[in-house]
Amino acid sequence: MTGPTLAHYLAVSGLLFSIGLGGVLLRRSILVIFMCLELMLNAANLSLVAFSRFHLTPQGMPDYNAQVLVFFIITVAAAEVAVGLAIIVALFRARQTTHVEDLDALKF
């Protein structure tokens, strides 16, 4: 029995990205939208790792350069989460809501 192929990984990545995109477009809470954006970022990371795993070097070994790039992307995403949550907390303290419709003005 063989393992999952590149098509399987890309299908899961596409499904995760679609769920994230649907959440961004349909949800009203800024926290849920933020989580869906992170889901989309992780779907892109999954496809990058899958392409890296199935791309072989001329010596027949997997090419790990993209996986190192994913490590740095995850590190930057962690910083993005910290900054994003700080902004969301500041918006909540100023407006007492996390609904997108209530956050229509740029000025507090």
Side-chain angles (χ1 to χ4, degrees):
M1 194 149 73
T2 63
T5 64
L6 179 62
H8 292 112
Y9 286 109
L10 294 180
V12 170
S13 176
L15 180 67
L16 287 174
F17 193 87
S18 299
I19 291 170
L21 183 65
V24 167
L25 295 177
L26 298 176
R27 296 297 175 176
R28 303 285 186 241
S29 173
I30 197 164
L31 286 171
V32 176
I33 291 172
F34 192 64
M35 287 190 301
C36 289
L37 285 171
E38 290 297 321
L39 186 65
M40 291 168 61
L41 179 67
N42 286 326
N45 281 339
L46 176 63
S47 64
L48 190 60
V49 169
F51 280 120
S52 171
R53 170 65 181 91
F54 287 97
H55 179 262
L56 299 178
T57 62
Q59 292 81 20
M61 298 295 292
D63 186 14
Y64 293 115
N65 291 335
Q67 293 184 16
V68 172
L69 179 65
V70 166
F71 176 73
F72 288 114
I73 291 172
I74 290 172
T75 305
V76 170
E80 171 196 350
V81 167
V83 171
L85 286 177
I87 292 171
I88 291 171
V89 167
L91 282 171
F92 180 76
R93 285 183 180 172
R95 299 289 179 100
Q96 298 298 316
T97 185
T98 59
H99 291 287
V100 177
E101 294 91 15
D102 300 334
L103 302 173
D104 58 354
L106 292 177
K107 194 166 125 180
F108 290 109

